[in-house]
Amino acid sequence: MLFEPERHQALPSDGWDEQSVRAAIKRIAADTIRDFSATTLWPTHPDDAPPSATFYNLYIGAAGVIWVLDYLRRSGAIEAVPDYGPIILDLIAPNHARFARARALGVGGLLSGDTGILLTAARLNGISSVVEQIGEAVDGNAENPCREFMYGAPGTAVASLTMWRETGDAIWTERFRRDIRRLWSQLRPCLDTDCLIWEQDLLGQLASHLGAVHGFAGNLLPAIQGWSLLSTEEQMDWSACIERTLRATAIRQGKLVNWPQSQGRHRPGRTAILVQHCHGAPGIVNALAYFTDSRIDDLLIAAGELTWHAGPLVKGGGLCHGTAGNGFAFLKLFRRTKDEIWLDRARRFAMHACNQSHAARQQHHRSRYSLWTGDLGLAIYLWHCITLDDRFPTQDFF
């Protein structure tokens, strides 16, 4: 079995309606601006955590909400947005407090910690206001044992690339190369498969994940995005590793392919066959679609076909484990192959995600205020289906 049908929904025959998509983006933004509180930020959605919880980081918290509103304004999707610049750095201390019982995860991560909040501050208030703090956060996260994108050094290596592109300062390429070389040195032979893989240490839970958030594919992101900064020998080594591990760990059925959550030693209770951005075929595509070598094209296309065959996700319309995140795989395949079928599929998923968001709003009387799990990430996906932009937010661009 390549996927679990109960996790997916049938796709209706709704055709693309750009006017309704634009209206959904504006509605999400208007809800978000309206429901902000200077004391409690944004209400937590019951599908994310108990209502008493407040989140501050890029992944699920206020920093991500602020980043999206600013991006939608800058890109022309919406108009005026309140100035959240004065409060953005105030999110760091309470975010540290949330990690007080989980220090092993570190507080510097791109999606989870200081680095994402500081990059958002740089976007709002100017890079010079936080450049030293970003450097400290990246350096402090360099030896994080998590070895994955959300908490670990692969995520902060992407931050170094962002800062290099913005500033041109060589210190950021030095940080990037340091983290990439350390990451390469941590690859190990897989216990039961002829390939190289990383082991993640998440609060003492050891596993070799394969997905785009917590595993192999996400760890490849900085190398692929910073490809021009690698030597020819390094490029050859990374290319061989990418193809070897993807083929060795793939689960195939005809023209479809998926990947398990983990290879070898599984994390207890996490052995589902998922089709999501965080674990499974869509995330593989989303993480690796900028790989310049065509040697894995057959795998990426087969992963896209599996994502389409499985259908939208029951969990909702968001990015990490929702319909929008899966839809981004179609946008990426449209850019990579130039085949219009992928754009049509992306837009079909967009219409369904709009309907999911609307139904959830009717049930809870508000939107879901988070970037990676909620309506804010969906808004970017909808906008990119209009503008034909395949970049995945806070992964491919900042």
Side-chain angles (χ1 to χ4, degrees), residues 180-194:
I180 289 299
R181 287 167 181 162
R182 180 180 287 116
L183 192 62
W184 177 264
S185 72
Q186 293 169 338
L187 278 164
R188 297 289 183 269
C190 189
L191 292 178
D192 58 1
T193 306
D194 182 23

Side-chain angles (χ1 to χ4, degrees), residues 187-338:
L187 278 164
R188 297 289 183 269
C190 189
L191 292 178
D192 58 1
T193 306
D194 182 23
C195 65
L196 298 175
I197 204 162
W198 290 279
E199 184 173 69
Q200 285 73 48
D201 184 348
L202 296 168
L203 297 179
Q205 300 272 6
L206 302 178
S208 292
H209 291 302
L210 291 164
V213 176
H214 297 304
F216 182 79
N219 288 1
L220 298 174
L221 264 168
I224 290 172
Q225 293 184 5
W227 199 251
S228 65
L229 299 177
L230 304 179
S231 69
T232 301
E233 182 179 356
E234 287 173 325
Q235 290 175 354
M236 292 175 62
D237 288 342
W238 280 98
S239 292
C241 174
I242 289 169
E243 182 181 21
R244 177 182 173 187
T245 299
L246 287 183
R247 293 195 185 281
T249 56
I251 307 170
R252 303 168 184 273
Q253 184 176 313
K255 296 182 178 181
L256 308 179
V257 68
N258 199 6
W259 286 264
Q261 278 187 281
S262 304
Q263 188 70 27
R265 177 170 45 190
H266 288 279
R267 180 179 175 184
R270 299 299 295 270
T271 58
I273 303 298
L274 302 177
V275 185
Q276 303 174 176
H277 173 76
C278 50
H279 295 287
I284 300 293
V285 177
N286 289 336
L288 304 182
Y290 294 158
F291 182 48
T292 58
D293 198 319
S294 62
R295 68 177 70 190
I296 63 167
D297 278 4
D298 62 314
L299 291 174
L300 297 181
I301 290 170
E305 293 290 355
L306 182 276
T307 304
W308 174 251
H309 181 77
L313 284 154
V314 170
K315 284 186 176 181
L319 295 177
C320 191
H321 34 256
T323 300
N326 287 18
F328 260 108
F330 303 143
L331 285 178
K332 288 185 174 293
L333 287 169
F334 172 59
R335 182 199 59 82
R336 191 172 178 98
T337 68
K338 307 299 189 294

